[in-house]
Amino acid sequence: MTGFDRDELREVSAAVLAVTAHLSVRDVLRTILTSARRLVGARYAALGIPDGDGGFGEFIADGVTDEQWAAIGPLPRTHGVLAVMLRDPNPVRLANIRDHPRFGWWPAAHPELTDFLGMPIVDGDEFVGELFLANSCNPGGFTAADEELMRLLAAHAAIAIVNARLYERGRELSIVEERNRIARELHDAVTQKLFSLRLTADAASALLERDPARAAAELANVRKLAAEATDELRAIVVEARPADLGGDGLDIALRKQAELLDRVHEPTIRYTSCHCVPTLTEARQQAVYRIAQEALHNALRHAGASRIDVKMVTDKGTVVLEVRDDGAGFEPRSAEGAGRRLGLTSMRERARSAGGRLDVASGPGRGTTVRLAVPTGG
């Protein structure tokens, strides 16, 4: 392998750090592209992600204007030199790309390319992308050292692309999970109340002429059910609003959630913290917030509580969240159905995925305390 000098290592290290700092696939691809072009000093650079069907699912370029890109036309197919690079994990370095035996053509508006460096991005046996660089800004064209720099960047790029894909799939699953939760809420609470509302309104209409007093009582029930349905919808909308954990931080986000729920629900809801909560990873912040939200939801819907206290403190390298209510409580060991209804299984799964532990203490007439402990390190 060609040796790198200290400046080159510093530059490639900065490029790798820039690539791995992103979680969006599109941001990762763009950063790989700009880093590659800068590292070797190329006039043009492009990065393609194959779609497995003879084309590219993603193809971005650097060094051409938006007008030039529009004039070039549709995304390229994986033919010619591009097809070779999707089957051969070895890089392609040429003084003139037209000298390659598989060179075909390019569109009329395409920039004129001369020297060329192509580097497959490979994860195990899978070709996850292709990196193309053309028209070196340095005399003599691309060198063996440029090739080694691109090989090193491509190895890290493969990891970053795979990680970004996994992250985006995880976000998609979280969105689906949240939609399913909202659907369950609408079915379990609002739909039932609207059904009761309709039946009660029909009863009031039937009684209006022959028993006005009973009709008036039924209409009072209609008003009550309508108010309850409105409250249920308002609560579901409030809980569906995403928390700005990145901007506010976990402590402020939990405080805002508690204050908001306190305004729209009858029980008193109070939040306290030590104001010195250490920074958790994004995944752990999400887990703590969602578990707090689920525990609050349970207390509001099922406990009949008059007060709910949310507290977050630190204890020996651990962030501890407690949600305590003074409601009816339940018997955790014998109430398997209640456990499912209260989402205890999903809360415990969230806790485990964050490397933490969830404990629930309750009893008939003794309220319920949900306690989550999440480590701050690693």
Side-chain angles (χ1 to χ4, degrees):
M1 176 180 288
T2 304
F4 301 131
D5 63 30
R6 185 170 298 177
D7 289 339
E8 286 176 323
L9 287 173
R10 187 179 297 112
E11 287 183 11
V12 79
S13 175
V16 168
L17 288 173
V19 170
T20 55
H22 297 287
L23 292 172
S24 156
V25 171
R26 189 74 178 181
D27 288 344
V28 166
L29 299 182
R30 177 58 63 184
T31 307
I32 292 169
L33 188 61
T34 55
S35 298
R37 185 182 170 207
R38 178 179 56 80
L39 280 170
V40 300
R43 175 69 180 85
Y44 302 110
L47 176 60
I49 304 296
D51 62 6
D53 193 30
F56 287 97
E58 293 268 7
F59 196 93
I60 57 176
D62 198 24
V64 296
T65 65
D66 292 341
E67 292 76 13
Q68 287 175 308
W69 184 247
I72 289 171
L75 295 182
R77 303 288 291 174
T78 52
H79 56 71
V81 181
L82 308 188
V84 171
M85 292 179 60
L86 279 179
R87 295 192 298 268
D88 187 347
N90 297 305
V92 175
R93 181 162 54 94
L94 300 165
N96 191 325
I97 190 173
R98 294 178 183 272
D99 294 336
H100 195 283
R102 293 291 302 276
F103 174 79
W105 59 280
W106 50 55
H110 196 283
E112 188 75 18
L113 305 184
T114 53
D115 48 329
F116 176 83
L117 174 58
M119 183 64 64
I121 301 174
V122 181
D123 177 49
D125 295 330
E126 180 189 1
F127 287 81
V128 298
E130 301 181 28
L131 185 58
F132 317 108
L133 299 134
N135 296 28
S136 174
C137 300
N138 302 311
F142 297 111
T143 65
D146 293 333
E147 185 177 315
E148 289 300 329
L149 280 173
M150 289 303 95
R151 191 193 302 272
L152 182 58
L153 181 64
H156 289 279
I159 297 170
I161 291 171
V162 171
N163 285 345
R165 283 176 177 172
L166 292 173
Y167 175 78
E168 290 193 348
R169 287 170 188 165
R171 284 176 61 89
E172 289 170 6
L173 289 173
S174 296
I175 291 169
V176 170
E177 180 182 289
E178 188 65 10
R179 285 175 178 168
N180 289 340
R181 183 189 70 80
I182 293 172
R184 288 195 301 271
E185 290 299 323
L186 288 170
H187 180 269
D188 294 345
V190 181
T191 304
Q192 293 178 20
K193 280 192 170 57
L194 291 176
F195 182 70
S196 298
L197 184 64
R198 179 178 176 181
L199 290 179
T200 306
D202 288 345
S205 177
L207 291 167
L208 194 58
E209 293 185 2
R210 58 189 175 87
D211 196 340
R214 284 186 60 192
E218 294 295 340
L219 287 174
N221 285 331
V222 167
R223 285 193 295 273
K224 178 184 176 184
L225 288 168
E228 289 176 356
T230 301
D231 289 343
E232 293 284 357
L233 278 172
R234 185 186 297 117
I236 291 170
V237 170
V238 166
E239 290 167 5
R241 290 175 181 168
D244 184 15
L245 296 178
D248 288 339
L250 181 60
D251 186 32
I252 295 175
L254 285 174
R255 184 177 301 280
K256 284 183 176 180
Q257 177 75 355
E259 290 174 351
L260 188 58
L261 293 177
D262 183 58
R263 290 198 297 270
V264 300
H265 288 281
E266 186 175 343
T268 300
I269 302 172
R270 294 292 178 263
Y271 173 76
T272 58
S273 73
C274 62
H275 301 293
C276 56
V277 178
T279 301
L280 297 172
T281 64
E282 182 179 358
R284 284 177 177 164
Q285 287 191 64
Q286 287 285 351
V288 173
Y289 184 84
R290 289 301 184 188
I291 288 171
Q293 193 176 46
E294 185 75 20
L296 280 164
H297 160 85
N298 289 338
L300 289 168
R301 295 292 192 281
H302 308 299
S306 61
R307 183 180 177 95
I308 305 169
D309 289 291
V310 183
K311 180 172 68 172
M312 187 167 62
V313 298
T314 57
D315 180 25
K316 299 177 181 177
T318 302
V319 171
V320 179
L321 169 80
E322 282 191 359
V323 180
R324 183 191 303 268
D325 70 68
D326 63 357
F330 65 99
E331 179 53 60
R333 282 180 288 189
S334 62
E336 182 180 347
R340 286 197 299 268
R341 177 169 57 90
L342 298 176
L344 299 182
T345 300
S346 64
M347 284 196 285
R348 288 195 172 98
E349 287 174 354
R350 282 188 189 275
R352 279 196 297 270
S353 69
R357 175 186 174 87
L358 185 86
D359 294 300
V360 179
S362 186
R366 296 193 290 110
T368 300
T369 299
V370 176
R371 185 180 189 274
L372 170 68
V374 175
T376 58

